[in-house]
């Protein structure tokens, strides 16, 4: 596996080759058409289509199906759970450049800065650090994803362990990648923007006869930002091949490689209960961030999917994915604010090195059957996987204090290194799951399922030469009932449950190796309704999400963890997506979340003031971090005709806390964005304006600490030119 991945990294195929292909191919462009026909419940018995397909550039904000919620393509109206889908049309119209940009369209999400090294969000008040998926595979490495190979993004709210195994307290994020098509198409997109932003993307698809197609996608970015020392250097490439081995058998191969280097920026500290009032560009790290405070991630993955239909009612699918990930992270960060006449910030210079590799194999069998006078759509699956995660941490010599309000930055020196961690974690997954969507009558359907997991964990600590291990065996159920009085209304209620083992995110430790997994339960009722002759889909849900057995420090022995904590979120979510009229597209959402840490003996120590007199805060009764009570989003696009179009919208986020201490509050904000575009058969031009009124706000924080708060970008513009054939 290692040899295969490093062969890819030899860069036999470079981005310039992609550009040459895009500019030299003389085939006529074919408009893409996405098939979104609403299927009945029997479609759940069918595997996702693997025939290479045509698509259309006609934009659609309205998703009708989901590939995530039932692990096979299914009508959204048949799923008794909240699912938010960000379509390709939304991503393109808004000019989204990151996963965070795209997820602004999902209500109930709070953003973490992810230590400046990764995509990370909270969903319904719970961290989703390990709940990233790609085409249904776990993708929990800690890096920033690229959108050039993403067709759409699906967010399944609530526990998803019934199909995906451990994790998913608040939900999962699943990226659906672009696959080979049966038409020759290609594009080359160049984007320039504020703060020296430069990015090029290429997408070339070519049929190889009647039974095969090849596609290659690439991107290269070199940009700076509004923050001092800020920079991003990124290269991405993703070739794929689809083969029709017979009328009943399909095979798809995909590879991708990402190399991302950027400033490891933790944002600005806080004082007096809110982030410090300094210029948005103020940085507290090294005076040479590109040399001293960088994070470089390299991610290489390969996927093979084989699908076979025995007949119209029985189909089998086997999917395999292997990956390698390497992280080189170096950062200078604030560790304490010392208030005085000349307030100072004490800092730390440290490094994190991570190396990971692993694989997952999923085998799914779907059967359409009749039994007891009822129609059944059955799914039976097996997943096996193995991941090895090595981690080395350490600190360099003290980089010295700087002023809180006007820091003068020296170079951080890589001297005086002291190791703080050197661990290796091995996890093995064996999961067995079954699901049935049963039609009880013309108007009633039920979705029931369960998964049994055997999760084997092992950890080695090389600093003290110790080993830890444990095995968890858990059952994760789901049950839901759907009532559909007509073709435009679905009313539902559901119950789901998941588990979070000690080695869900990082390696086992002496204080958690004997503790059983935490558990999360979701109770939800809702309605999915279509209006305007089915052109506008809306959704409303009420839920209670509870996590129990949360590990909390024993006040009498802080190094000992007790499984006694509880956290609960009661919430309401609303969303709408589709067409208001010809040429008018809309996506909108609202979330109200009443979240609380309902039971915990744990305390947190203030990072403000001298250590000897630092305050301690009890967290019971506090609001979880990065969980605004109110949040909303709206985006409206209007195609004026003759290729011209306008779009605009707003994002509202209420106040939220930087950590569970509730000592630092991020103020609420409203941000307005807009776009204008001109589209023709052979090229598109687009101008995107973000934060039109130059609102000063904080878009994220660390989530587990009060000193790392991230400013949202000032007013900025992106101008792109897309050449198509």
């Amino acid at each position: 596996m290692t040899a295969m991945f490093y062969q890819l990294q030899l860069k036999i195929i470079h981005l310039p080759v992609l550009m040459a292909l895009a500019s030299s191919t003389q085939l006529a462009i074919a408009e893409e058409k996405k098939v979104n026909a609403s299927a009945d419940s029997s479609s759940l018995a069918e595997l996702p289509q693997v025939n290479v397909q045509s698509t259309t550039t006609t934009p659609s904000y309205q998703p009708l199906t989901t590939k995530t919620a039932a692990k096979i393509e299914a009508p959204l109206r048949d799923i008794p759970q909240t699912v938010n889908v960000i379509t390709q049309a939304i991503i393109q119209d808004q000019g989204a450049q990151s996963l965070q940009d795209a997820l602004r369209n999902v209500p109930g999400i709070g953003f973490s800065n992810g230590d400046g090294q990764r995509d990370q969000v909270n969903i319904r008040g719970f961290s989703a650090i390990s709940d990233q998926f790609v085409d249904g595979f776990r993708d929990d490495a800690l890096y920033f994803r690229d959108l050039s190979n993403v067709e759409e993004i699906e967010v399944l709210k609530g526990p998803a362990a019934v199909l995906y195994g451990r994790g998913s307290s608040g939900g999962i994020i699943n990226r659906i990648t672009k696959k080979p098509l049966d038409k020759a198409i290609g594009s080359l997109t160049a984007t320039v923007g504020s703060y020296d932003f430069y990015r090029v993307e290429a997408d070339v698809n070519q049929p190889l006869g009647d039974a095969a197609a090849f596609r290659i996608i690439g991107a290269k970015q070199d940009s700076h930002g509004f923050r001092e020392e800020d920079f991003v250097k990124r290269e991405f490439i993703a070739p794929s091949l689809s083969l029709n081995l017979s009328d009943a058998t399909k095979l798809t191969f995909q590879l991708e490689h990402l190399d991302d280097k950027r400033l490891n920026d933790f944002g600005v500290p806080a004082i007096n209960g809110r982030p410090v009032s300094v210029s948005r560009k103020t940085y507290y790290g090294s005076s040479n961030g590109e040399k001293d405070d960088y994070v470089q991630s390299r991610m290489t993955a390969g996927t093979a999917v084989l699908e076979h239909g025995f007949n119209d009612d029985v189909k089998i699918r086997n999917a395999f994915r292997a990956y390698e990930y390497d992280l080189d992270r170096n950062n200078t960060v604030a560790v304490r604010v010392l208030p005085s006449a000349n307030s100072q910030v004490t800092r730390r210079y440290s490094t994190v090195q991570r190396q990971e590799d692993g694989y997952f194999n999923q085998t799914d069998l779907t059967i359409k059957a009749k039994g007891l006078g009822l129609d059944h759509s059955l799914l039976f699956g097996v997943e096996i996987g193995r991941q090895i995660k090595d981690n080395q941490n350490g600190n360099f010599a003290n980089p010295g204090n700087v002023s809180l309000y006007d820091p003068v930055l020296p170079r951080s020196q890589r001297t005086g290194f002291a190791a703080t961690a050197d661990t290796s974690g091995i996890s093995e997954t064996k999961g067995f799951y079954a699901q049935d969507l049963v039609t009880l009558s013309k108007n009633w359907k039920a979705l029931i399922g369960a998964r049994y997991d055997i999760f084997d964990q092992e950890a080695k600590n090389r600093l003290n030469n110790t080993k830890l291990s444990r095995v968890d065996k858990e059952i994760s159920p789901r049950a839901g009932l759907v009532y559909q009085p007509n073709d435009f209304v679905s009313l539902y209620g559901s119950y789901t449950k998941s588990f979070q083992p000690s080695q869900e995110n990082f390696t086992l430790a002496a204080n958690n190796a004997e503790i059983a997994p935490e558990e999360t339960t979701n109770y939800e009722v809702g309605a999915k309704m279509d209006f305007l002759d089915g052109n506008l889909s809306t959704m409303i849900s009420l839920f209670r999400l509870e996590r129990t057995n949360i590990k909390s420090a024993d006040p009498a022995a802080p190094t000992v963890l007790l499984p006694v904590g509880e956290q609960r979120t009661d919430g309401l979510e609303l969303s709408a997506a589709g067409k208001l009229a010809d040429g008018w597209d809309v996506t909108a959402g609202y979330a109200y979340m009443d979240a609380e840490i309902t039971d915990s003996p744990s305390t947190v120590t203030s990072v403000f003031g001298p250590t000897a007199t630092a305050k301690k805060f009890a967290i019971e009764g506090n609001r979880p971090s990065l969980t605004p009570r109110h949040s909303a989003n709206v985006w409206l696009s209007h195609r004026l005709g003759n290729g011209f179009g306008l779009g605009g919208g707003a994002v509202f986020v209420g106040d939220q806390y930087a950590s569970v201490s509730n000592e630092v509050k991020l103020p609420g904000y409203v941000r307005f964005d807009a776009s204008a575009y001109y589209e023709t058969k052979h090229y598109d031009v687009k101008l995107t304006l973000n934060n039109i009124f130059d609102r000063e706000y904080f878009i994220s924080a660390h989530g587990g600490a009060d000193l790392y708060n991230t400013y949202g970008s000032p007013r900025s513009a992106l101008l792109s030119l897309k050449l198509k054939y």
Side-chain angles (χ1 to χ4, degrees):
M1 182 179 71
T2 301
M4 177 189 72
F5 287 148
Y6 283 120
Q7 287 173 5
L8 181 63
Q9 296 180 45
L10 291 177
K11 299 185 178 179
I12 296 174
I13 304 175
H14 278 298
L15 193 61
V17 176
L18 291 177
M19 299 177 190
L21 283 171
S23 61
S24 63
T25 304
Q26 300 299 317
L27 297 173
I29 181 158
E31 290 191 338
E32 298 179 343
K33 181 175 183 180
K34 184 175 181 181
V35 179
N36 277 329
S38 178
D40 59 25
S41 63
S42 65
S43 67
L44 277 174
E46 299 181 5
L47 293 166
Q49 291 293 324
V50 294
N51 296 326
V52 289
Q53 298 179 18
S54 300
T55 59
T56 180
T57 54
T58 301
S60 176
Y61 287 12
Q62 181 186 32
L64 297 178
T65 64
T66 170
K67 299 179 180 69
T68 303
K71 214 169 185 289
I72 51 179
E73 190 158 10
L76 278 167
R77 68 191 308 267
D78 288 352
I79 303 301
Q81 206 164 337
T82 298
V83 185
N84 299 113
V85 181
I86 308 167
T87 67
Q88 178 67 200
I90 296 173
I91 295 172
Q92 291 295 322
D93 282 359
Q94 294 181 349
Q97 298 295 324
S98 67
L99 190 60
Q100 179 172 282
D101 288 347
L103 290 174
R104 73 181 187 183
N105 298 286
V106 179
I109 278 186
F111 294 113
S112 166
N113 59 29
D115 288 338
Q117 74 170 66
R118 60 184 178 267
D119 296 310
Q120 186 176 336
V121 300
N122 280 19
I123 305 176
R124 289 184 171 179
F126 295 87
S127 173
I129 184 174
S130 294
D131 298 323
Q132 295 278 352
F133 288 77
V134 55
D135 290 328
F137 288 104
R138 186 174 295 275
D139 180 38
D140 57 5
L142 307 177
Y143 69 105
F144 289 104
R145 283 84 182 161
D146 197 90
L147 294 185
S148 61
N149 194 36
V150 173
E151 184 66 34
E152 66 181 26
I153 302 167
E154 300 190 5
V155 182
L156 174 62
K157 300 290 186 60
V162 64
L163 295 175
Y164 298 98
R166 67 187 186 275
S168 67
S169 285
I172 67 170
I173 300 167
N174 187 29
R175 307 184 320 279
I176 310 299
T177 60
K178 297 175 181 178
K179 309 295 192 303
L181 311 172
D182 65 355
K183 300 290 185 180
I185 63 169
S187 65
L188 177 65
T189 305
T191 303
V192 298
S194 303
Y195 310 109
D196 297 323
F197 182 96
Y198 301 97
R199 180 178 170 91
V200 177
E201 294 182 17
D203 183 354
V204 177
N205 183 86
Q206 179 62 53
L208 305 174
D210 296 331
F214 177 75
R215 188 169 188 172
I216 187 166
I217 296 169
K220 183 178 179 64
Q221 180 175 331
D222 189 346
S223 60
H224 293 273
F226 68 96
R227 300 270 292 155
E228 290 180 352
E229 304 296 324
D230 195 14
F231 73 95
V232 175
K233 298 181 184 294
R234 158 174 291 215
E235 294 181 356
F236 176 79
I237 190 168
S240 57
L241 176 68
S242 287
L243 302 171
N244 292 340
L245 302 181
S246 71
D247 290 341
T249 306
K250 318 294 177 183
L251 180 61
T252 303
F253 295 103
Q254 293 177 277
L255 290 173
E256 64 178 34
H257 175 71
L258 172 70
D259 191 333
D260 182 285
K261 185 177 182 181
R262 64 182 66 206
L263 182 71
N264 192 207
D265 188 0
F266 275 62
V268 303
I271 193 170
N272 299 325
R274 62 154 293 152
V276 62
S277 180
V278 293
S279 168
R280 284 178 283 197
K281 68 179 183 179
T282 306
Y283 182 61
Y284 291 84
S286 170
S287 61
N288 192 333
E290 187 167 351
K291 298 292 185 181
D292 304 329
D293 288 348
Y294 68 87
V295 54
Q296 184 163 19
S297 301
R298 293 185 176 94
M299 180 70 175
T300 306
T303 305
V305 180
L306 179 64
E307 301 171 282
H308 177 74
F310 296 100
N311 53 50
D312 290 341
D313 295 332
V314 181
K315 299 185 179 183
I316 192 168
R317 176 181 185 267
N318 190 84
F320 176 83
R321 183 177 191 261
Y323 78 95
E324 286 186 346
Y325 163 74
D326 180 81
L327 172 73
D328 177 12
R329 172 180 142 193
N330 307 272
N331 50 260
T332 309
V333 300
V335 294
R336 181 166 293 279
V337 174
L338 304 175
S340 62
N342 57 340
S343 296
Q344 296 284 300
V345 176
T346 63
R347 303 181 303 156
R348 179 180 65 240
Y349 185 38
S350 59
T351 184
V352 177
Q353 306 292 315
R354 293 178 68 89
Q355 305 84 38
E356 297 183 17
D357 64 79
Y359 69 84
F360 292 96
N361 191 86
Q362 302 171 356
T363 304
D364 295 329
L365 175 67
T366 58
I367 302 172
K368 289 191 296 186
K370 292 183 180 293
L372 301 176
L374 304 175
D375 292 329
H376 299 267
S377 296
L378 300 166
L379 168 68
F380 300 96
V382 177
E383 180 179 35
I384 59 173
R386 176 181 171 89
Q387 293 177 282
I388 301 175
K389 301 185 178 185
D390 292 339
N391 180 72
Q392 302 88 38
N393 296 358
N395 296 328
F396 297 106
N398 190 326
N401 297 356
V402 296
S403 167
L404 175 63
Y405 295 102
D406 187 21
V408 177
L409 305 178
R411 283 284 301 270
S412 295
Q413 303 297 319
R414 299 178 70 86
T415 59
F417 179 76
T420 56
D422 188 353
T423 62
S424 178
I426 302 175
S427 61
E428 295 183 345
T429 296
K430 300 180 183 69
F432 310 88
Y433 47 92
Q435 176 182 268
D436 184 16
L437 176 70
V438 54
T439 302
L440 304 174
S441 69
K442 178 182 178 181
N443 304 114
W444 290 91
K445 296 173 184 175
L447 179 62
I448 56 175
R451 172 166 166 150
Y452 176 65
D453 273 290
I454 303 172
F455 187 56
D456 193 340
Q457 310 160 67
E458 179 181 305
K460 300 177 183 178
N461 187 328
R462 299 187 185 97
L463 291 183
N464 58 20
N465 197 29
T466 59
K467 295 183 180 180
L468 299 167
S469 64
R470 68 172 288 115
V471 178
D472 292 306
K473 300 178 180 180
E474 296 289 332
I475 296 177
S476 304
R478 171 167 70 177
L481 188 64
V482 180
Y483 173 60
Q484 298 172 337
N486 54 52
D487 292 339
F488 298 101
V489 176
S490 287
L491 310 176
Y492 70 88
S494 66
Y495 162 86
T496 53
K497 190 174 182 180
S498 68
F499 70 102
Q500 294 77 34
S502 294
Q503 195 165 290
E504 178 189 2
N505 301 325
F506 304 103
T507 56
L508 286 173
N511 62 354
N512 66 24
E514 300 302 320
I515 299 179
E518 302 171 7
E519 296 182 348
T520 304
T521 305
N522 188 63
Y523 307 90
E524 185 171 321
V525 295
K528 301 177 183 182
M529 297 171 287
D530 293 342
F531 298 94
L532 304 178
D533 295 326
N535 289 315
L536 181 69
S537 295
T538 67
M539 182 165 47
I540 179 172
S541 60
L542 290 166
F543 63 88
R544 164 161 284 193
L545 191 59
E546 297 177 317
R547 186 164 179 172
T548 58
N549 298 330
I550 297 176
K551 303 172 187 66
S552 299
D554 183 351
T559 60
V560 177
L561 296 182
L562 304 174
V564 296
E566 295 183 3
Q567 182 178 325
R568 180 263 307 149
T569 303
D570 292 331
L572 163 71
E573 290 185 2
L574 307 170
S575 64
K579 287 185 176 297
L580 298 176
D582 288 343
W584 289 90
D585 297 281
V586 66
T587 180
Y590 167 78
Y592 168 77
M593 295 184 293
D594 179 15
E596 182 181 350
I597 299 170
T598 54
D599 192 2
S600 178
S602 294
T603 60
V604 292
T605 303
S606 174
V607 290
F608 305 102
T611 303
T613 60
K615 298 179 181 177
K616 290 186 177 296
F617 296 87
I619 67 172
E620 183 174 313
N622 284 2
R623 196 196 310 177
S625 62
L626 308 179
T627 308
R629 290 191 186 277
H630 302 274
S631 60
N633 61 274
V634 63
W635 180 270
L636 183 65
S637 178
H638 180 40
R639 278 166 168 76
L640 303 169
N642 297 319
F644 291 95
L646 297 172
V651 175
F652 163 73
V653 177
D655 61 62
Q656 54 189 318
Y657 288 105
S659 81
V660 294
S661 76
N662 285 194
E663 189 176 9
V664 173
K665 179 181 288 188
L666 307 183
Y669 65 89
V670 179
R671 191 191 80 190
F672 294 90
D673 310 300
S675 68
Y677 44 89
Y678 176 64
E679 301 170 333
T680 73
K681 183 177 181 180
H682 296 299
Y683 67 90
D684 300 338
V685 180
K686 180 184 301 176
L687 175 64
T688 303
L689 298 176
N690 293 316
N691 194 6
I692 297 172
F693 300 109
D694 201 25
R695 175 67 184 268
E696 186 172 294
Y697 68 100
F698 289 88
I699 193 170
S700 65
H702 183 276
D706 288 320
L707 286 182
Y708 313 122
N709 307 286
T710 303
Y711 269 114
S713 175
R715 183 190 298 114
S716 61
L718 293 172
L719 179 64
S720 66
L721 171 64
K722 182 176 184 179
L723 305 178
K724 307 178 291 184
Y725 67 82

